[in-house]
Amino acid sequence: MTRIVAGSAGGRTLVVPSTGTRPTSERVREALFSRLEHLDAVDGARVLDLYAGSGALGLEAASRRAAHVVLVDQARAAVEACRRNARALGLQARTEVVADRVDRYLVRRPDGAEPFDLVLLDPPYDLPDDALADDLEHVARHVAPGAVVVVERSARSADPRWPATLVPFGDRRYGETQVWFAEPAPDA
């Protein structure tokens, strides 16, 4: 069972697609959001959740007072789960669900669109490193100064290849899960 950890929807259960997703565990989400709140990266933030699956990461941010959350996934079951979860949690007014491939969404999003303060990437563990590097290159075009970018993958995965416009500033390991953090380069 997957639940929202804290905030206005804390303790509420999420619908998870029966196949094709790997929801971030409550333990990892609790630790991740504790760190993000310490960095003041959630309250009032514009959040982008890529490879959203059930929407657990983005909806956790919305529950913790993010101003606006965009959930992006290409799988029909995941998109429907995100929509159902946002409605059930009463967070649909601050949540936008996009049915598209992550790379296509990032390429098509206009450069002048309002930037994101927090970007959460939780791709399938089998996503090739080159594809993740391409996604990060595109993400860098859509972040605000002072934004935080988070990548979650298997602890056996290689470190993400960050573009020059994003500077890594730490990582954490939680059992089989590894989480990396980056921010825009000062001169980007």
Side-chain angles (χ1 to χ4, degrees):
M1 179 184 317
T2 301
R3 291 182 299 218
I4 296 293
V5 176
S8 64
R12 305 273 303 275
T13 303
L14 297 172
V15 172
V16 177
S18 58
T19 61
T21 61
R22 175 196 34 78
T24 302
S25 74
E26 286 180 46
R27 179 177 151 253
V28 172
R29 272 186 289 119
E30 182 173 20
L32 170 62
F33 277 89
S34 176
R35 175 100 193 267
L36 291 172
E37 287 181 331
H38 176 75
L39 295 169
D40 196 26
V42 180
D43 191 7
R46 290 187 43 81
V47 179
L48 177 60
D49 181 356
L50 300 171
Y51 303 99
S54 66
L57 289 174
L59 293 170
E60 186 74 44
S63 178
R64 295 172 186 243
R65 298 193 317 243
H68 185 76
V69 176
V70 178
L71 306 171
V72 181
D73 205 297
Q74 72 177 10
R76 183 178 304 155
V79 169
E80 182 53 35
C82 287
R83 288 184 177 135
R84 278 183 66 190
N85 288 330
R87 275 192 311 270
L89 299 174
L91 299 171
Q92 70 274 21
R94 290 184 286 136
T95 305
E96 176 185 350
V97 179
V98 177
D100 204 351
R101 283 191 349 236
V102 166
D103 59 341
R104 189 167 44 205
Y105 170 79
L106 292 170
V107 168
R108 290 181 179 172
R109 187 169 194 272
D111 285 339
E114 192 168 0
F116 293 101
D117 306 300
L118 175 60
V119 180
L120 306 162
L121 293 97
D122 183 11
Y125 281 176
D126 63 355
L127 182 76
D129 293 342
D130 290 342
L132 177 59
D134 288 346
D135 288 347
L136 291 169
E137 187 75 42
H138 295 302
V139 160
R141 294 182 13 242
H142 302 293
V143 295
V148 176
V149 178
V150 178
V151 174
E152 177 187 335
R153 296 192 85 186
S154 166
R156 293 179 294 232
S157 299
D159 287 4
R161 290 197 317 265
W162 301 101
T165 53
L166 292 175
V167 178
F169 67 89
D171 63 278
R172 296 284 190 275
R173 182 174 180 167
Y174 307 100
E176 172 54 26
T177 302
Q178 185 88 15
V179 180
W180 291 268
F181 300 88
E183 61 191 353
D187 56 350

PDB file of all heavy atoms in Angstrom, residues 75-107:
ATOM      1  N   ALA A  75       2.459   6.215 -19.843  1.00  0.00           N
ATOM      2  CA  ALA A  75       1.627   5.019 -19.711  1.00  0.00           C
ATOM      3  C   ALA A  75       0.194   5.399 -19.341  1.00  0.00           C
ATOM      4  O   ALA A  75      -0.034   6.157 -18.392  1.00  0.00           O
ATOM      5  CB  ALA A  75       2.205   4.078 -18.664  1.00  0.00           C
ATOM      6  N   ARG A  76      -0.756   4.863 -20.073  1.00  0.00           N
ATOM      7  CA  ARG A  76      -2.172   5.184 -19.845  1.00  0.00           C
ATOM      8  C   ARG A  76      -2.581   4.880 -18.403  1.00  0.00           C
ATOM      9  O   ARG A  76      -3.273   5.677 -17.766  1.00  0.00           O
ATOM     10  CB  ARG A  76      -3.034   4.400 -20.822  1.00  0.00           C
ATOM     11  CG  ARG A  76      -4.506   4.739 -20.687  1.00  0.00           C
ATOM     12  CD  ARG A  76      -5.369   3.996 -21.676  1.00  0.00           C
ATOM     13  NE  ARG A  76      -4.886   4.257 -23.022  1.00  0.00           N
ATOM     14  CZ  ARG A  76      -5.072   3.457 -24.052  1.00  0.00           C
ATOM     15  NH1 ARG A  76      -5.726   2.331 -23.898  1.00  0.00           N
ATOM     16  NH2 ARG A  76      -4.620   3.768 -25.250  1.00  0.00           N
ATOM     17  N   ALA A  77      -2.178   3.722 -17.875  1.00  0.00           N
ATOM     18  CA  ALA A  77      -2.557   3.350 -16.506  1.00  0.00           C
ATOM     19  C   ALA A  77      -1.969   4.322 -15.486  1.00  0.00           C
ATOM     20  O   ALA A  77      -2.620   4.667 -14.493  1.00  0.00           O
ATOM     21  CB  ALA A  77      -2.112   1.922 -16.202  1.00  0.00           C
ATOM     22  N   ALA A  78      -0.747   4.767 -15.727  1.00  0.00           N
ATOM     23  CA  ALA A  78      -0.112   5.717 -14.811  1.00  0.00           C
ATOM     24  C   ALA A  78      -0.826   7.065 -14.853  1.00  0.00           C
ATOM     25  O   ALA A  78      -1.088   7.679 -13.807  1.00  0.00           O
ATOM     26  CB  ALA A  78       1.364   5.882 -15.166  1.00  0.00           C
ATOM     27  N   VAL A  79      -1.149   7.540 -16.033  1.00  0.00           N
ATOM     28  CA  VAL A  79      -1.849   8.818 -16.179  1.00  0.00           C
ATOM     29  C   VAL A  79      -3.193   8.769 -15.464  1.00  0.00           C
ATOM     30  O   VAL A  79      -3.560   9.692 -14.726  1.00  0.00           O
ATOM     31  CB  VAL A  79      -2.006   9.180 -17.674  1.00  0.00           C
ATOM     32  CG1 VAL A  79      -2.952  10.351 -17.865  1.00  0.00           C
ATOM     33  CG2 VAL A  79      -0.642   9.476 -18.285  1.00  0.00           C
ATOM     34  N   GLU A  80      -3.921   7.683 -15.660  1.00  0.00           N
ATOM     35  CA  GLU A  80      -5.218   7.540 -14.993  1.00  0.00           C
ATOM     36  C   GLU A  80      -5.046   7.478 -13.472  1.00  0.00           C
ATOM     37  O   GLU A  80      -5.813   8.076 -12.720  1.00  0.00           O
ATOM     38  CB  GLU A  80      -5.967   6.302 -15.497  1.00  0.00           C
ATOM     39  CG  GLU A  80      -7.335   6.122 -14.884  1.00  0.00           C
ATOM     40  CD  GLU A  80      -8.251   7.340 -14.977  1.00  0.00           C
ATOM     41  OE1 GLU A  80      -8.208   8.073 -15.986  1.00  0.00           O
ATOM     42  OE2 GLU A  80      -9.014   7.574 -14.008  1.00  0.00           O
ATOM     43  N   ALA A  81      -4.016   6.763 -12.994  1.00  0.00           N
ATOM     44  CA  ALA A  81      -3.756   6.700 -11.546  1.00  0.00           C
ATOM     45  C   ALA A  81      -3.433   8.087 -10.998  1.00  0.00           C
ATOM     46  O   ALA A  81      -3.936   8.471  -9.927  1.00  0.00           O
ATOM     47  CB  ALA A  81      -2.619   5.721 -11.253  1.00  0.00           C
ATOM     48  N   CYS A  82      -2.623   8.852 -11.716  1.00  0.00           N
ATOM     49  CA  CYS A  82      -2.283  10.214 -11.279  1.00  0.00           C
ATOM     50  C   CYS A  82      -3.543  11.065 -11.166  1.00  0.00           C
ATOM     51  O   CYS A  82      -3.734  11.783 -10.179  1.00  0.00           O
ATOM     52  CB  CYS A  82      -1.305  10.861 -12.253  1.00  0.00           C
ATOM     53  SG  CYS A  82       0.377  10.212 -12.175  1.00  0.00           S
ATOM     54  N   ARG A  83      -4.394  10.995 -12.175  1.00  0.00           N
ATOM     55  CA  ARG A  83      -5.635  11.787 -12.158  1.00  0.00           C
ATOM     56  C   ARG A  83      -6.541  11.366 -11.000  1.00  0.00           C
ATOM     57  O   ARG A  83      -7.082  12.220 -10.274  1.00  0.00           O
ATOM     58  CB  ARG A  83      -6.367  11.649 -13.488  1.00  0.00           C
ATOM     59  CG  ARG A  83      -5.666  12.390 -14.607  1.00  0.00           C
ATOM     60  CD  ARG A  83      -6.442  12.331 -15.911  1.00  0.00           C
ATOM     61  NE  ARG A  83      -5.736  13.121 -16.903  1.00  0.00           N
ATOM     62  CZ  ARG A  83      -5.513  12.752 -18.146  1.00  0.00           C
ATOM     63  NH1 ARG A  83      -5.982  11.593 -18.592  1.00  0.00           N
ATOM     64  NH2 ARG A  83      -4.844  13.526 -18.971  1.00  0.00           N
ATOM     65  N   ARG A  84      -6.702  10.061 -10.822  1.00  0.00           N
ATOM     66  CA  ARG A  84      -7.545   9.555  -9.726  1.00  0.00           C
ATOM     67  C   ARG A  84      -6.985   9.983  -8.373  1.00  0.00           C
ATOM     68  O   ARG A  84      -7.738  10.401  -7.486  1.00  0.00           O
ATOM     69  CB  ARG A  84      -7.635   8.027  -9.773  1.00  0.00           C
ATOM     70  CG  ARG A  84      -8.669   7.509 -10.749  1.00  0.00           C
ATOM     71  CD  ARG A  84      -8.769   6.004 -10.713  1.00  0.00           C
ATOM     72  NE  ARG A  84      -9.273   5.511  -9.424  1.00  0.00           N
ATOM     73  CZ  ARG A  84      -9.272   4.239  -9.077  1.00  0.00           C
ATOM     74  NH1 ARG A  84      -8.801   3.309  -9.895  1.00  0.00           N
ATOM     75  NH2 ARG A  84      -9.743   3.872  -7.910  1.00  0.00           N
ATOM     76  N   ASN A  85      -5.676   9.850  -8.209  1.00  0.00           N
ATOM     77  CA  ASN A  85      -5.057  10.201  -6.930  1.00  0.00           C
ATOM     78  C   ASN A  85      -5.188  11.686  -6.627  1.00  0.00           C
ATOM     79  O   ASN A  85      -5.508  12.071  -5.499  1.00  0.00           O
ATOM     80  CB  ASN A  85      -3.589   9.764  -6.915  1.00  0.00           C
ATOM     81  CG  ASN A  85      -3.441   8.267  -6.806  1.00  0.00           C
ATOM     82  OD1 ASN A  85      -4.282   7.578  -6.223  1.00  0.00           O
ATOM     83  ND2 ASN A  85      -2.372   7.734  -7.373  1.00  0.00           N
ATOM     84  N   ALA A  86      -4.955  12.539  -7.616  1.00  0.00           N
ATOM     85  CA  ALA A  86      -5.076  13.982  -7.403  1.00  0.00           C
ATOM     86  C   ALA A  86      -6.504  14.338  -6.967  1.00  0.00           C
ATOM     87  O   ALA A  86      -6.700  15.134  -6.038  1.00  0.00           O
ATOM     88  CB  ALA A  86      -4.677  14.743  -8.657  1.00  0.00           C
ATOM     89  N   ARG A  87      -7.498  13.737  -7.652  1.00  0.00           N
ATOM     90  CA  ARG A  87      -8.907  13.991  -7.287  1.00  0.00           C
ATOM     91  C   ARG A  87      -9.213  13.478  -5.878  1.00  0.00           C
ATOM     92  O   ARG A  87      -9.812  14.184  -5.072  1.00  0.00           O
ATOM     93  CB  ARG A  87      -9.852  13.318  -8.284  1.00  0.00           C
ATOM     94  CG  ARG A  87     -10.153  14.126  -9.516  1.00  0.00           C
ATOM     95  CD  ARG A  87     -11.316  13.545 -10.321  1.00  0.00           C
ATOM     96  NE  ARG A  87     -11.208  12.117 -10.577  1.00  0.00           N
ATOM     97  CZ  ARG A  87     -10.607  11.571 -11.645  1.00  0.00           C
ATOM     98  NH1 ARG A  87     -10.045  12.340 -12.545  1.00  0.00           N
ATOM     99  NH2 ARG A  87     -10.565  10.269 -11.792  1.00  0.00           N
ATOM    100  N   ALA A  88      -8.812  12.236  -5.597  1.00  0.00           N
ATOM    101  CA  ALA A  88      -9.127  11.619  -4.306  1.00  0.00           C
ATOM    102  C   ALA A  88      -8.492  12.377  -3.137  1.00  0.00           C
ATOM    103  O   ALA A  88      -9.067  12.424  -2.045  1.00  0.00           O
ATOM    104  CB  ALA A  88      -8.664  10.157  -4.292  1.00  0.00           C
ATOM    105  N   LEU A  89      -7.328  12.967  -3.373  1.00  0.00           N
ATOM    106  CA  LEU A  89      -6.638  13.701  -2.316  1.00  0.00           C
ATOM    107  C   LEU A  89      -7.087  15.154  -2.231  1.00  0.00           C
ATOM    108  O   LEU A  89      -6.641  15.896  -1.355  1.00  0.00           O
ATOM    109  CB  LEU A  89      -5.120  13.657  -2.551  1.00  0.00           C
ATOM    110  CG  LEU A  89      -4.475  12.271  -2.550  1.00  0.00           C
ATOM    111  CD1 LEU A  89      -3.014  12.359  -2.939  1.00  0.00           C
ATOM    112  CD2 LEU A  89      -4.652  11.586  -1.205  1.00  0.00           C
ATOM    113  N   GLY A  90      -7.942  15.582  -3.167  1.00  0.00           N
ATOM    114  CA  GLY A  90      -8.389  16.974  -3.183  1.00  0.00           C
ATOM    115  C   GLY A  90      -7.310  17.932  -3.633  1.00  0.00           C
ATOM    116  O   GLY A  90      -7.325  19.114  -3.279  1.00  0.00           O
ATOM    117  N   LEU A  91      -6.354  17.435  -4.427  1.00  0.00           N
ATOM    118  CA  LEU A  91      -5.226  18.254  -4.869  1.00  0.00           C
ATOM    119  C   LEU A  91      -5.280  18.593  -6.360  1.00  0.00           C
ATOM    120  O   LEU A  91      -4.326  19.139  -6.907  1.00  0.00           O
ATOM    121  CB  LEU A  91      -3.908  17.531  -4.549  1.00  0.00           C
ATOM    122  CG  LEU A  91      -3.656  17.241  -3.075  1.00  0.00           C
ATOM    123  CD1 LEU A  91      -2.430  16.337  -2.906  1.00  0.00           C
ATOM    124  CD2 LEU A  91      -3.486  18.535  -2.297  1.00  0.00           C
ATOM    125  N   GLN A  92      -6.403  18.286  -7.019  1.00  0.00           N
ATOM    126  CA  GLN A  92      -6.484  18.468  -8.462  1.00  0.00           C
ATOM    127  C   GLN A  92      -6.387  19.934  -8.883  1.00  0.00           C
ATOM    128  O   GLN A  92      -5.936  20.222  -9.988  1.00  0.00           O
ATOM    129  CB  GLN A  92      -7.729  17.801  -9.057  1.00  0.00           C
ATOM    130  CG  GLN A  92      -9.048  18.456  -8.722  1.00  0.00           C
ATOM    131  CD  GLN A  92      -9.649  17.994  -7.413  1.00  0.00           C
ATOM    132  OE1 GLN A  92      -8.974  17.477  -6.530  1.00  0.00           O
ATOM    133  NE2 GLN A  92     -10.948  18.199  -7.270  1.00  0.00           N
ATOM    134  N   ALA A  93      -6.754  20.876  -8.039  1.00  0.00           N
ATOM    135  CA  ALA A  93      -6.681  22.298  -8.409  1.00  0.00           C
ATOM    136  C   ALA A  93      -5.239  22.762  -8.582  1.00  0.00           C
ATOM    137  O   ALA A  93      -4.971  23.698  -9.335  1.00  0.00           O
ATOM    138  CB  ALA A  93      -7.376  23.158  -7.354  1.00  0.00           C
ATOM    139  N   ARG A  94      -4.305  22.098  -7.905  1.00  0.00           N
ATOM    140  CA  ARG A  94      -2.890  22.481  -8.003  1.00  0.00           C
ATOM    141  C   ARG A  94      -2.072  21.464  -8.775  1.00  0.00           C
ATOM    142  O   ARG A  94      -0.843  21.524  -8.783  1.00  0.00           O
ATOM    143  CB  ARG A  94      -2.300  22.639  -6.599  1.00  0.00           C
ATOM    144  CG  ARG A  94      -2.847  23.857  -5.899  1.00  0.00           C
ATOM    145  CD  ARG A  94      -2.205  24.071  -4.546  1.00  0.00           C
ATOM    146  NE  ARG A  94      -2.731  23.094  -3.602  1.00  0.00           N
ATOM    147  CZ  ARG A  94      -1.981  22.422  -2.736  1.00  0.00           C
ATOM    148  NH1 ARG A  94      -0.685  22.606  -2.687  1.00  0.00           N
ATOM    149  NH2 ARG A  94      -2.531  21.569  -1.909  1.00  0.00           N
ATOM    150  N   THR A  95      -2.749  20.513  -9.411  1.00  0.00           N
ATOM    151  CA  THR A  95      -2.054  19.419 -10.092  1.00  0.00           C
ATOM    152  C   THR A  95      -2.479  19.346 -11.550  1.00  0.00           C
ATOM    153  O   THR A  95      -3.665  19.365 -11.857  1.00  0.00           O
ATOM    154  CB  THR A  95      -2.373  18.072  -9.404  1.00  0.00           C
ATOM    155  OG1 THR A  95      -2.043  18.173  -8.018  1.00  0.00           O
ATOM    156  CG2 THR A  95      -1.589  16.939 -10.021  1.00  0.00           C
ATOM    157  N   GLU A  96      -1.499  19.258 -12.426  1.00  0.00           N
ATOM    158  CA  GLU A  96      -1.734  19.075 -13.860  1.00  0.00           C
ATOM    159  C   GLU A  96      -1.130  17.733 -14.252  1.00  0.00           C
ATOM    160  O   GLU A  96       0.028  17.451 -13.927  1.00  0.00           O
ATOM    161  CB  GLU A  96      -1.048  20.205 -14.620  1.00  0.00           C
ATOM    162  CG  GLU A  96      -1.108  20.108 -16.114  1.00  0.00           C
ATOM    163  CD  GLU A  96      -0.296  21.204 -16.778  1.00  0.00           C
ATOM    164  OE1 GLU A  96       0.164  22.150 -16.105  1.00  0.00           O
ATOM    165  OE2 GLU A  96      -0.100  21.085 -18.002  1.00  0.00           O
ATOM    166  N   VAL A  97      -1.897  16.894 -14.928  1.00  0.00           N
ATOM    167  CA  VAL A  97      -1.414  15.582 -15.371  1.00  0.00           C
ATOM    168  C   VAL A  97      -1.225  15.636 -16.882  1.00  0.00           C
ATOM    169  O   VAL A  97      -2.151  15.990 -17.613  1.00  0.00           O
ATOM    170  CB  VAL A  97      -2.390  14.457 -14.974  1.00  0.00           C
ATOM    171  CG1 VAL A  97      -1.877  13.104 -15.460  1.00  0.00           C
ATOM    172  CG2 VAL A  97      -2.602  14.443 -13.457  1.00  0.00           C
ATOM    173  N   VAL A  98      -0.029  15.283 -17.328  1.00  0.00           N
ATOM    174  CA  VAL A  98       0.314  15.323 -18.754  1.00  0.00           C
ATOM    175  C   VAL A  98       0.595  13.905 -19.237  1.00  0.00           C
ATOM    176  O   VAL A  98       1.470  13.226 -18.693  1.00  0.00           O
ATOM    177  CB  VAL A  98       1.547  16.212 -19.008  1.00  0.00           C
ATOM    178  CG1 VAL A  98       1.937  16.187 -20.474  1.00  0.00           C
ATOM    179  CG2 VAL A  98       1.292  17.639 -18.529  1.00  0.00           C
ATOM    180  N   ALA A  99      -0.145  13.480 -20.262  1.00  0.00           N
ATOM    181  CA  ALA A  99       0.061  12.163 -20.873  1.00  0.00           C
ATOM    182  C   ALA A  99       1.008  12.340 -22.058  1.00  0.00           C
ATOM    183  O   ALA A  99       0.584  12.727 -23.142  1.00  0.00           O
ATOM    184  CB  ALA A  99      -1.268  11.576 -21.329  1.00  0.00           C
ATOM    185  N   ASP A 100       2.284  12.083 -21.829  1.00  0.00           N
ATOM    186  CA  ASP A 100       3.286  12.256 -22.886  1.00  0.00           C
ATOM    187  C   ASP A 100       4.575  11.573 -22.455  1.00  0.00           C
ATOM    188  O   ASP A 100       4.788  11.312 -21.271  1.00  0.00           O
ATOM    189  CB  ASP A 100       3.548  13.745 -23.122  1.00  0.00           C
ATOM    190  CG  ASP A 100       4.095  14.055 -24.512  1.00  0.00           C
ATOM    191  OD1 ASP A 100       4.443  13.108 -25.261  1.00  0.00           O
ATOM    192  OD2 ASP A 100       4.162  15.247 -24.851  1.00  0.00           O
ATOM    193  N   ARG A 101       5.424  11.306 -23.442  1.00  0.00           N
ATOM    194  CA  ARG A 101       6.774  10.832 -23.134  1.00  0.00           C
ATOM    195  C   ARG A 101       7.542  11.988 -22.497  1.00  0.00           C
ATOM    196  O   ARG A 101       7.400  13.144 -22.906  1.00  0.00           O
ATOM    197  CB  ARG A 101       7.495  10.390 -24.403  1.00  0.00           C
ATOM    198  CG  ARG A 101       7.076   9.064 -24.928  1.00  0.00           C
ATOM    199  CD  ARG A 101       7.986   8.536 -26.035  1.00  0.00           C
ATOM    200  NE  ARG A 101       8.933   9.486 -26.566  1.00  0.00           N
ATOM    201  CZ  ARG A 101       9.019   9.814 -27.856  1.00  0.00           C
ATOM    202  NH1 ARG A 101       8.214   9.279 -28.750  1.00  0.00           N
ATOM    203  NH2 ARG A 101       9.918  10.685 -28.259  1.00  0.00           N
ATOM    204  N   VAL A 102       8.367  11.690 -21.523  1.00  0.00           N
ATOM    205  CA  VAL A 102       9.126  12.720 -20.821  1.00  0.00           C
ATOM    206  C   VAL A 102       9.990  13.521 -21.786  1.00  0.00           C
ATOM    207  O   VAL A 102       9.980  14.758 -21.759  1.00  0.00           O
ATOM    208  CB  VAL A 102       9.976  12.091 -19.691  1.00  0.00           C
ATOM    209  CG1 VAL A 102      11.022  13.055 -19.175  1.00  0.00           C
ATOM    210  CG2 VAL A 102       9.060  11.621 -18.565  1.00  0.00           C
ATOM    211  N   ASP A 103      10.735  12.848 -22.643  1.00  0.00           N
ATOM    212  CA  ASP A 103      11.619  13.579 -23.553  1.00  0.00           C
ATOM    213  C   ASP A 103      10.824  14.502 -24.473  1.00  0.00           C
ATOM    214  O   ASP A 103      11.205  15.655 -24.708  1.00  0.00           O
ATOM    215  CB  ASP A 103      12.511  12.625 -24.345  1.00  0.00           C
ATOM    216  CG  ASP A 103      11.748  11.606 -25.181  1.00  0.00           C
ATOM    217  OD1 ASP A 103      10.546  11.363 -24.925  1.00  0.00           O
ATOM    218  OD2 ASP A 103      12.359  11.042 -26.098  1.00  0.00           O
ATOM    219  N   ARG A 104       9.702  14.038 -24.973  1.00  0.00           N
ATOM    220  CA  ARG A 104       8.885  14.859 -25.874  1.00  0.00           C
ATOM    221  C   ARG A 104       8.290  16.056 -25.127  1.00  0.00           C
ATOM    222  O   ARG A 104       8.270  17.175 -25.642  1.00  0.00           O
ATOM    223  CB  ARG A 104       7.790  14.003 -26.500  1.00  0.00           C
ATOM    224  CG  ARG A 104       7.042  14.719 -27.594  1.00  0.00           C
ATOM    225  CD  ARG A 104       6.172  13.808 -28.421  1.00  0.00           C
ATOM    226  NE  ARG A 104       5.417  12.865 -27.619  1.00  0.00           N
ATOM    227  CZ  ARG A 104       4.983  11.689 -28.073  1.00  0.00           C
ATOM    228  NH1 ARG A 104       5.249  11.309 -29.303  1.00  0.00           N
ATOM    229  NH2 ARG A 104       4.291  10.895 -27.299  1.00  0.00           N
ATOM    230  N   TYR A 105       7.804  15.845 -23.905  1.00  0.00           N
ATOM    231  CA  TYR A 105       7.262  16.950 -23.105  1.00  0.00           C
ATOM    232  C   TYR A 105       8.330  18.026 -22.901  1.00  0.00           C
ATOM    233  O   TYR A 105       8.064  19.219 -23.069  1.00  0.00           O
ATOM    234  CB  TYR A 105       6.764  16.433 -21.747  1.00  0.00           C
ATOM    235  CG  TYR A 105       6.417  17.548 -20.788  1.00  0.00           C
ATOM    236  CD1 TYR A 105       5.210  18.223 -20.892  1.00  0.00           C
ATOM    237  CD2 TYR A 105       7.312  17.934 -19.801  1.00  0.00           C
ATOM    238  CE1 TYR A 105       4.899  19.267 -20.022  1.00  0.00           C
ATOM    239  CE2 TYR A 105       7.015  18.969 -18.931  1.00  0.00           C
ATOM    240  CZ  TYR A 105       5.817  19.633 -19.049  1.00  0.00           C
ATOM    241  OH  TYR A 105       5.515  20.672 -18.190  1.00  0.00           O
ATOM    242  N   LEU A 106       9.541  17.601 -22.533  1.00  0.00           N
ATOM    243  CA  LEU A 106      10.609  18.566 -22.249  1.00  0.00           C
ATOM    244  C   LEU A 106      11.025  19.340 -23.496  1.00  0.00           C
ATOM    245  O   LEU A 106      11.293  20.539 -23.424  1.00  0.00           O
ATOM    246  CB  LEU A 106      11.813  17.850 -21.639  1.00  0.00           C
ATOM    247  CG  LEU A 106      11.601  17.288 -20.234  1.00  0.00           C
ATOM    248  CD1 LEU A 106      12.762  16.386 -19.834  1.00  0.00           C
ATOM    249  CD2 LEU A 106      11.404  18.412 -19.219  1.00  0.00           C
ATOM    250  N   VAL A 107      11.083  18.664 -24.634  1.00  0.00           N
ATOM    251  CA  VAL A 107      11.483  19.327 -25.880  1.00  0.00           C
ATOM    252  C   VAL A 107      10.404  20.300 -26.345  1.00  0.00           C
ATOM    253  O   VAL A 107      10.711  21.401 -26.807  1.00  0.00           O
ATOM    254  CB  VAL A 107      11.794  18.282 -26.975  1.00  0.00           C
ATOM    255  CG1 VAL A 107      11.931  18.928 -28.336  1.00  0.00           C
ATOM    256  CG2 VAL A 107      13.063  17.520 -26.624  1.00  0.00           C
TER     257      VAL A 107
END
